[in-house]
Amino acid sequence: MNFLLILGIALALAMDAFAVSLGLGLSLRPATGGQTLRLAFSFGLFQFLMPVLGWAAGARLILHIARYDHWVAFLLLVAVGGKMIF
């Protein structure tokens, strides 16, 4: 993996965590220390696990769908686009 790709993944995950923490920060008025610790731990754990699990699943799946992966991507994009239009 090159540095630019890792930087892009890190930036996307950081924006996701920022949006969630901003929403939670606005909804939890007097945030206690326990809530802050639990949120920080959850963010750290999932920010670590998401790319690792995605890489592991992709490495396994590529063996099974390499012949028709372009159709899988097409169907997923059609489903997302159809849901957006709906």
Side-chain angles (χ1 to χ4, degrees):
M1 248 195 248
N2 65 15
F3 180 73
L4 192 60
L5 181 62
I6 293 172
L7 187 65
I9 291 171
L11 182 65
L13 289 174
M15 288 189 302
D16 176 49
F18 176 71
V20 172
S21 64
L22 188 65
L24 286 173
L26 291 173
S27 67
L28 296 174
R29 291 294 172 200
T32 64
Q35 289 173 329
T36 304
L37 182 63
R38 188 173 55 230
L39 282 171
F41 178 77
S42 298
F43 280 154
L45 178 68
F46 285 105
Q47 297 296 329
F48 165 73
L49 283 179
M50 281 188 285
V52 171
L53 291 176
W55 171 79
R60 292 275 185 201
L61 266 158
I62 193 91
L63 302 172
H64 302 292
I65 66 167
R67 291 181 302 198
Y68 51 89
D69 58 356
H70 53 283
W71 289 109
V72 172
F74 173 72
L75 291 174
L76 287 172
L77 289 172
V78 165
V80 170
K83 184 73 173 174
M84 288 174 66
I85 291 170
F86 179 69

